[in-house]
Structures are given as structure tokens and as C-alpha cells.
Amino acid sequence: MARIIHKTQLSEDVFRMRLEAPLIAKERRAGQFIILQVNDNFGERIPLTIANADKEEGSITIIFQRVGKTTKELAELEEEDEIPHLVGPLGLPTHIEKLGRVTVVGGGIGVAPSYPIAEAMKAAGNHLTVIMGARNKDLVIMEEEMSSIADELIVCTDDGSAGRKALVTEPLKELCESDTPPDMVIAIGPPIMMKFCAKTTEPYEVPTVVSLNTIMVDGTGMCGGCRVNVGGEVKFVCVDGPEFDGHQVDFDNMMNRLKSYQTQEKAKTCKLEKVGKTTNLANPRE
Amino acid sequence: MHHSPEKLSQSAKSKLAELAEKEKLTTRDRKGIERQEMPAQDPIERGQNMCEVALGLSPEQAKLEALRCIQCKNEPCVAGCPVGIDIPGFILQIAENDFKGAIDTIKKSSLLPAVCGRVCPQEEQCQEVCTVGRMQKDVEKSVSIGRLERFAADWERENGALEIPEVKPETGKKVAIIGSGPASVTVAADIRREGHAVTIFEAFHRPGGVLLYGIPEFRLPKGIVDLEIDTLRKMGVEIKTDFVVGRTRKLMDLMREDGFDAVFIGTGAGLPKFMNIDGENLVGVFSANEYLTRSNLMKAYEKEQADTPIYDSRKVAILGGGNVAMDAARTALRIGAEEVHVVYRRTESEMPARLEEVEHAKEEGIIFDFLCSPTKIHGDEFGRVKSMELLRYELGEPDDSGRCRPVAIEGSEYEMDVDTVIVAIGNGSNPLIRQTTDGLEVNKWGNIVVDENSRTSIEGVYAGGDIVLGAATVILAMGEGRRAAAAMNEYLS
């Protein structure tokens, strides 16, 4: 059980919640994630990256986008409500060290999980460049937080409504070609963005870490649903990751695997929307 | 041939009446009683539902089956039982209509009779050595000890006679148990009985371990597991779910900072093995662990209600020949697959699965493909499984395990159209605890090394079950748990 201490809506479909989770707050390191379940009986378990933690308060922060049934239900919960199940921190922490110049690329909701990593890289003494991408200005999140830690912040939107009208790979390429190329790139966002970030940096041989968010059930290595091909080897995102060498990840296979249940999920969401018009099924307590 | 439960009960009734006229039953009379068939749901009907397949003996059938036991003096069955239940004792009580006495006798040695009566491989344990079976040179003619155990346990539950074991006065000692499967549950009860405080840490949101996520509802109803866990709670055992030891808190922190005097590691064998063949990461290839966890723990078979999806399959291949393979095959059928194949490298006689499970699977229409194994899985343009390439095998010389080694026949490649492949070839040891606990000795397979008292290389830390044994059975895990608990109680006193 985890009480919701604070809830804010960052954009139309993006929410931030601070949850009471003292043990997780104490143990977690940048790059780790949690799994939560909103409906005790028939709910599904979904992984979400820990965006921040406060040991003193005993809280963690999650940021999520309302996309599927569970995230819709989660968004319905209010402050002081309790999330029935929360487990973590899971996965291996990011390897943080002083490398020189580090570029963190966050795309869409991926900005949230990239924040603690950017923060830790900065704290380790690196020069920090942050590239943030979103479809439009309403979907840009955490700009203030990022600008407070980044030595350089580049905002890109697909339509140019905020920052540069560009994909994140454009400024990334420019950085790689500049006199001060990054010593490491960390890219977190939609799979397709991570794939192209890795492709962009590859010719320049800039080490590029990506953080994968695959389908998962238990999150402790037991089911293998999260497996990915990394450099020809099978790896489990939950225990070997979530971060991997972006130049080694088979993104196409990973993206196919993410679509494993697409038909079922679509059918469920349609049904939910139909039912939702008359009664609120999304929140079981109403 | 399937017989209805009513018919089975009726014929048992008549036979009992016939025997009642005799003053004393001779061994010959007892030998004349046919082994009582387990009433089961109709094979075709049950393929469409998740309800328990085996329905349990009726009281008449149980009494009659109990009368088959000749109460031999040397009691080989007791030695064949990993937890040493007084088998002739409880069988005699059933024969004498003392069902309460029978369950009390069982519970002196086993904590989970309703579970073990259902899932123990009795034909390799107590029933394998049964004198009645030996006399007739057929293990299938042994007394059905497991079915009688289940009968007694079900009788107790259904008649509201469940008793909470007595707990000695509090000792002030604290024990942490990691995992909540059969080994852990046994340890928890045995240690709690001595008056020590016990906390179970479970990674999932519900306790029960493999009994819950692994074994399907149609073989072990989850209500039974929940009741067993409930008994532990009533004894005062604290259960913390959503708690991954090694991540949420490290094992040594439990001892150094949280004041636990001893720890038992019963985390099970939780790392699925794959075949390491091409195409194994295609969409539609699952570990049996994943497939079964989705269906069992996450209730994905309740397609309307459950949020966790399960793959829509038409033609499924299960790779492997153990009990987990049978569970996966029969689950796939119930989820709605039209055709389910079990693909196994050797022949039926080498299959590790229980005969009963294999027969149930066959009755339900599962197809068995022996002496073949896939070399490659092919996908379509969306990266989804569309077929499998296989090689045929023949049996060669026996290997170290005594089973004949399968040898590939060159040039025997053939293809099989499938849309789903479920890999059920076993589990390795989960690395979470060993990676986060310095000084914990493991062997080359990653299993925790223990001495004859279940002690690990760290003082006060014990381990048992599949994390020590490699993948084994529920009852062996319970036997390990019993041994560990005895040593831990000794250590704490």
C-alpha cells in the first residue's frame, strides 16, 4: 500500500505523484523503477521509473502518462488515496561516474526517468547537456527542474511551438560533431527515439546508454517477458537492465515485442471508453 | 474411459455393503477391492473451464480405498514420504470412519495436506513402495495414498474443522523468511509454533509462491492455498507482500538493522531457461513461468475482468515434458487454443511429468509429439511466430541420469506451423539474493550451498527448497523446510 501524498497534472495526460514509500525512498538509486498495481484483484502490474525520491519524507515521485487502462485508473486516484500495491526499487541502478561531458536526451514522458540520472551525473562533476523533446509545447514537462541542473538545455518540439522545431537527434548530431562532443549519451524516451539516438551517435563512437521499458510481469527475473537481444545475447530488462548499450540493442525486435498484446489492449480500451460514459468503472471504489 | 462421480460413488457403496457382511476382511478380500478411480470433470467440458479437474473421492470411495491397505508391518510408505507421515495410521482411521482422527494424524507431519494430496508425485514416493502395489507388481495398483490424504484434508476444510496449530509463549526472537512458497510456509509454521516471531517477505502482491503463480487453478484451487496462508496469519505470522529482499531491503540489513535473529531463504527457482535457438525472442514465445503467471496469479484467464492480457493462440507448441509443460499445455487449451502440442525430445516413458497429468492432458485432447525438438522458430513480417523447424530424434545410450540420451537424426528436418511457443524446460536459480548478499556461498549453478542442517555460509542464515535443490517438487521443498526449521529452532534456543 502506498498513500498518494501529492498529485499534480503536468499536461493533458501526464501526471506526477509523490507516494509514501519510505523503504523504496531509502534504497533507490537513479535509474531504478517500481511496479505498481491499482486494482488489487484483477489489476495488472505496470513498471514505472522512479523520477525522484525524498529519504527524509520517505517518499518517491512517479510521473506517468495516461495511456492504458491502468494508467487511466491511476490518474483517477486523488491525494490521500492508496495504491494497493507498490514494489521496488527494481532493476540495476545507473552507473554514475565522472566522465567529462554527458548528454542526457529525454523524449516525451521519458524526461521524467532521465531527470534523476541527469541530476546524479551532474552531482558527479560532469558537464551536463540536456536535450528534451516533445510533440508540442503542452507536452514539455519538467523544463524548470532540468534547467536548474543542466549546464546547457535544448528543448525541441515536433511543431516548433516551444524551443527548436526539430527531432532530438538533430541537436544530438550537432553535439557529436562539435569540438566538445559528449563522452557519454544517455537517451530515455519512446523506443523509436532511443533507436535513432543510438543510430545518431554510433558513427561518432559515443557510448550511448538507453533505458528500456518492456512488458513485464514480476520484475524480479522470474517470467522473462521483458527479454531483449543485446549484442546477440538475451538479457532481462528487469534484472540485467533497464539500461543497456544502445548500440547493441535490437530495437526492432523490442518494438515488436511491445506490441504483443496490442489487439487485446485495444479491445479493452474501447470497451472501457464505452462503459465509462455511463458509469465510472475505472475507479473501483466509486 | 470417463465415469461419472455418481456412478463411482454408487458402485463403492454397493461394494462396501457387500464387505460389511463379512466379519473380518482377509488380505484376499482387500486385494479383491478395485482401486478407486478419482472422479473427474468430463474431459471435453473441463477443457472449457478453469475449475478443478479431479473432484475428490466420495466418503464411500475413500473408505473402500482405505480398506485396500493391508496395514503391513514394515510400512515402506512412511519411509517413502519426504515428511514421514504415519500413512497406515491415517488410512486405518479413514477405514474406521474417523476422518477427524485421520487429518490430525497427517497434520502431525505435514502442514499442507490439501496441497500435497493434490500435487505430490506419490507414485514416485509413498505409493511406489506400497506393499499392495508390489504384491501385484504394478505401482498403479498401490493404495491411493495421495487421494486419501486429499480426502481427509478436504473433509476437514469442508466441515469447518480447520484448527489453528498451538503456538508456544513468545520467546522474543525474530525470524525472517524470504519467499512464501511451500518451503517457506513450512518453515514459518514450524518456527512460529515454538513461539518465535515470524515475518514472511514476498515479492509478489499475494503470498503462496509457486502454489499460486505456477500451479493452475484446475489442479490446485487457489482458495485452498489462501486458506493455508490464512492459517499462518492466525498463528501470528506476519506477511509482507510487495517486498523484494535484495532490493527493497538487503538480507544483511534485516539481520543487522531490523533485529532479525535468523533468516530462511526460500526464494525458489525463479529464472526461466530458454532453448537458445534462433527466433526465441519472437512475439509469441513465452517462458512457462510467464504464461502460467499471467493465467494463474494475474487471472488472465478471466479475460473479461483481468487487466493482464494473455496471448491469443490458435496452435500452440509446448517445449518440455515435465509437470510444468503439462500445466502450460492444459492452460493454453483452456485459454482457447484450437490445437496444443507437447514437443518432447525423448519418448513418453522418459517424460518427467506425472502419469496422472499426462493422462489428463491426453483425455483433454493435448497432442504429444515425441522424439523431436525445435532448432529454429520462424516469424512473420511483424515478428510474430509462424512456424517452428524441428529435428527428429532417436534414443541412444543411457546418460548419467539413467535416461536414454536423445540423438538427432541427420537430415530429418521438418516444419510445424504454430503461432505460440511455450518453453517449459526448467528454471535456473534467481540471482537476486546472491548478488546482493556478500559472503553467501553458491555452487556453479547459483544454487545456495547448505550443510545437512540447512545452514548457509552465513551464520544464522538458512536456505531450502528449489533455491538449494534446483527445480524439484512441492513436497521435497516442504521436507527441506521442515529440516531447516528444526535446525533454526535449535539455533534460536
Side-chain angles (χ1 to χ4, degrees):
Chain A
M1 293 258 249
R3 184 171 62 92
I4 300 169
I5 302 169
H6 190 72
K7 175 189 175 187
T8 29
Q9 190 160 4
L10 300 185
S11 69
E12 196 190 336
D13 282 321
V14 177
F15 296 83
R16 171 166 36 203
M17 279 181 181
R18 214 160 75 234
L19 310 174
E20 187 174 64
L23 291 175
I24 302 175
K26 197 170 162 199
E27 289 289 324
R28 77 96 211 190
R29 300 284 177 274
Q32 289 187 298
F33 64 95
I34 52 98
I35 282 183
L36 62 78
Q37 189 176 335
V38 180
N39 180 328
D40 179 49
N41 203 10
F42 287 107
E44 66 180 331
R45 297 164 61 92
I46 58 161
L48 289 171
T49 309
I50 303 168
N52 212 342
D54 184 338
K55 275 187 211 178
E56 301 298 308
E57 189 187 38
S59 70
I60 61 164
T61 300
I62 54 169
I63 293 178
F64 61 94
Q65 190 166 12
R66 186 160 56 182
V67 277
K69 182 166 184 281
T70 301
T71 44
K72 280 190 179 118
E73 288 176 354
L74 185 58
E76 299 274 333
L77 297 181
E78 297 300 338
E79 287 170 11
E80 296 308 311
D81 282 347
E82 282 188 333
I83 297 173
H85 298 288
L86 177 74
V87 60
L90 301 170
L92 298 175
T94 311
H95 181 69
I96 304 289
E97 65 170 306
K98 186 170 179 195
L99 297 155
R101 304 181 77 89
V102 171
T103 297
V104 171
V105 186
I109 188 80
V111 170
S114 70
Y115 175 75
I117 297 168
E119 193 185 29
M121 281 296 188
K122 176 69 191 168
N126 291 293
H127 176 276
L128 178 69
T129 303
V130 174
I131 305 173
M132 289 170 52
R135 282 206 313 276
N136 58 52
K137 79 171 193 321
D138 294 335
L139 300 174
V140 174
I141 56 166
M142 300 180 80
E143 191 178 349
E144 214 170 286
E145 286 97 325
M146 281 297 196
S147 75
S148 73
I149 56 166
D151 295 299
E152 186 187 5
L153 178 70
I154 304 165
V155 177
C156 310
T157 50
D158 294 2
D159 64 357
S161 54
R164 272 176 74 170
K165 183 183 177 187
L167 296 173
V168 290
T169 44
E170 285 173 44
L172 181 61
K173 186 162 190 269
E174 289 160 19
L175 282 174
C176 290
E177 283 171 346
S178 73
D179 298 338
T180 50
D183 296 296
M184 167 165 281
V185 170
I186 298 163
I188 308 180
I192 193 81
M193 181 209 94
M194 292 192 282
K195 176 182 168 175
F196 282 100
C197 284
K199 273 205 160 140
T200 303
T201 59
E202 203 168 10
Y204 307 97
E205 293 176 10
V206 176
T208 300
V209 170
V210 293
S211 177
L212 307 182
N213 192 347
T214 50
I215 291 174
M216 244 174 234
V217 185
D218 62 295
T220 61
M222 200 206 73
C223 85
C226 63
R227 64 195 191 279
V228 283
N229 283 324
V230 182
E233 267 183 77
V234 174
K235 296 281 181 192
F236 287 6
V237 171
C238 67
V239 287
D240 302 320
E243 291 171 10
F244 296 99
D245 176 353
H247 297 148
Q248 301 287 321
V249 172
D250 179 347
F251 282 102
D252 294 337
N253 175 255
M254 179 200 145
M255 287 188 272
N256 281 333
R257 288 184 62 80
L258 279 171
K259 291 182 206 148
S260 297
Y261 300 101
Q262 211 174 32
T263 28
Q264 283 107 312
E265 273 153 15
K266 259 189 197 151
K268 263 236 143 89
T269 314
C270 290
K271 208 173 136 200
L272 188 75
E273 276 161 8
K274 263 188 214 159
V275 178
K277 279 178 191 158
T278 47
T279 53
N280 191 349
L281 259 196
N283 191 340
R285 274 177 297 172
E286 280 180 18
Chain B
M1 174 73 190
H2 179 259
H3 300 98
S4 77
E6 296 74 27
K7 200 175 156 212
L8 292 171
S9 178
Q10 197 51 49
S11 61
K13 241 181 227 171
S14 339
K15 183 73 185 173
L16 272 182
E18 186 188 307
L19 293 174
E21 288 170 16
K22 306 203 176 196
E23 209 158 285
K24 194 167 179 287
L25 293 187
T26 62
T27 301
R28 200 190 168 85
D29 291 330
R30 293 180 194 274
K31 260 176 87 173
I33 305 171
E34 257 187 72
R35 188 187 195 202
Q36 292 301 295
E37 185 181 320
M38 179 58 116
Q41 272 198 75
D42 176 77
I44 303 303
E45 217 169 277
R46 74 186 186 224
Q48 321 282 322
N49 67 51
M50 271 289 164
C51 301
E52 191 169 20
V53 167
L55 301 169
L57 300 175
S58 69
E60 293 77 19
Q61 279 189 292
K63 269 184 267 178
L64 201 53
E65 184 65 31
L67 287 174
R68 294 183 65 232
C69 172
I70 57 169
Q71 296 287 322
C72 60
K73 288 282 162 295
N74 52 342
E75 308 180 339
C77 50
V78 180
C81 172
V83 294
I85 295 175
D86 174 10
I87 293 169
F90 93 78
I91 290 186
L92 186 63
Q93 286 165 313
I94 291 181
E96 289 169 347
N97 225 5
D98 177 13
F99 302 151
K100 173 82 178 81
I103 190 64
D104 289 345
T105 302
I106 297 170
K107 284 204 159 171
K108 277 185 203 147
S109 314
S110 172
L111 276 154
L112 305 170
V115 174
C116 294
R118 287 171 165 82
V119 304
C120 265
Q122 292 100 6
E123 64 283 357
E124 293 168 12
Q125 295 171 343
C126 52
Q127 289 171 204
E128 185 182 31
V129 291
C130 168
T131 307
V132 175
R134 287 272 158 105
M135 284 190 316
Q136 301 173 75
K137 296 193 174 58
D138 183 358
V139 68
E140 284 299 293
K141 296 215 164 90
S142 294
V143 176
S144 304
I145 299 165
R147 291 173 186 177
L148 290 172
E149 179 187 25
R150 169 182 165 168
F151 169 79
D154 287 356
W155 176 87
E156 180 192 39
R157 194 179 63 253
E158 284 157 16
N159 288 277
L162 272 180
E163 279 174 17
I164 306 304
E166 216 173 296
V167 172
K168 290 189 185 158
E170 300 293 335
T171 62
K173 298 274 169 56
K174 275 173 74 179
V175 174
I177 294 176
I178 310 172
S180 63
S184 298
V185 165
T186 307
V187 174
D190 280 4
I191 290 183
R192 181 64 195 136
R193 277 205 268 230
E194 292 301 309
H196 307 306
V198 173
T199 306
I200 290 179
F201 296 95
E202 165 58 44
F204 269 129
H205 52 286
R206 281 178 73 194
V210 73
L211 304 175
L212 209 65
Y213 72 74
I215 304 175
E217 178 78 17
F218 57 81
R219 211 149 71 76
L220 176 64
K222 300 307 151 221
I224 290 174
V225 181
D226 290 345
L227 259 182
E228 301 291 356
I229 298 288
D230 202 43
T231 303
L232 286 182
R233 284 205 175 98
K234 285 182 178 149
M235 287 170 74
V237 172
E238 192 187 351
I239 301 177
K240 284 191 196 283
T241 52
D242 301 315
F243 198 113
V244 183
V245 174
R247 289 269 190 259
T248 311
R249 200 108 178 88
K250 302 224 171 18
L251 189 150
M252 293 316 287
D253 290 340
L254 293 176
M255 297 188 85
R256 287 180 191 141
E257 293 174 29
D258 302 344
F260 285 98
D261 300 291
V263 177
F264 174 78
I265 308 170
T267 48
L271 193 76
K273 285 184 185 159
F274 287 92
M275 304 276 291
N276 294 320
I277 56 175
D278 274 358
E280 219 165 9
N281 278 8
L282 288 166
V283 179
V285 184
F286 303 93
S287 73
N289 282 2
E290 179 182 0
Y291 196 76
L292 290 171
T293 302
R294 282 177 181 275
S295 176
N296 299 332
L297 179 75
M298 306 311 294
K299 302 179 192 169
Y301 65 85
E302 305 256 24
K303 288 185 193 168
E304 289 299 310
Q305 285 167 289
D307 293 340
T308 304
I310 195 152
Y311 206 62
D312 277 329
S313 312
R314 200 181 53 78
K315 191 170 167 186
V316 183
I318 317 288
L319 312 182
N323 289 320
V324 175
M326 299 306 118
D327 286 345
R330 298 170 69 196
T331 297
L333 181 81
R334 284 160 172 78
I335 299 289
E338 290 162 23
E339 203 178 307
V340 182
H341 291 250
V342 169
V343 173
Y344 183 56
R345 280 197 310 170
R346 306 180 209 226
T347 70
E348 181 159 3
S349 50
E350 285 86 22
M351 270 210 297
R354 294 185 65 195
L355 186 67
E356 187 179 319
E357 304 308 325
V358 177
E359 288 193 338
H360 275 151
K362 283 184 180 169
E363 283 172 13
E364 289 165 12
I366 307 291
I367 302 160
F368 287 80
D369 296 4
F370 295 114
L371 291 168
C372 56
S373 183
T375 50
K376 202 174 184 176
I377 304 168
H378 297 291
D380 64 12
E381 72 262 42
F382 307 108
R384 293 185 171 239
V385 173
K386 67 165 192 189
S387 69
M388 226 167 46
E389 202 170 295
L390 300 98
L391 264 184
R392 293 196 197 280
Y393 280 71
E394 58 191 356
L395 287 185
E397 297 296 308
D399 64 10
D400 297 343
S401 70
R403 294 186 302 176
C404 288
R405 199 190 299 272
V407 184
I409 303 171
E410 259 183 72
S412 64
E413 292 87 355
Y414 69 104
E415 220 170 287
M416 179 179 179
D417 285 343
V418 286
D419 54 36
T420 307
V421 177
I422 301 173
V423 187
I425 56 168
N427 274 281
S429 59
N430 192 294
L432 246 174
I433 298 274
R434 69 168 189 262
Q435 280 173 356
T436 54
T437 312
D438 288 338
L440 185 66
E441 197 191 331
V442 297
N443 67 17
K444 64 175 171 177
W445 297 282
N447 295 112
I448 297 175
V449 176
V450 296
D451 68 8
E452 68 283 0
N453 287 316
S454 308
R455 285 186 297 206
T456 68
S457 54
I458 301 174
E459 198 192 326
V461 180
Y462 296 72
D466 281 3
I467 190 65
V468 169
L469 297 168
T473 61
V474 170
I475 189 75
L476 280 175
M478 286 181 56
E480 289 254 304
R482 176 126 289 183
R483 187 177 70 168
M488 292 172 82
N489 283 329
E490 174 81 9
Y491 173 75
L492 293 170
S493 68

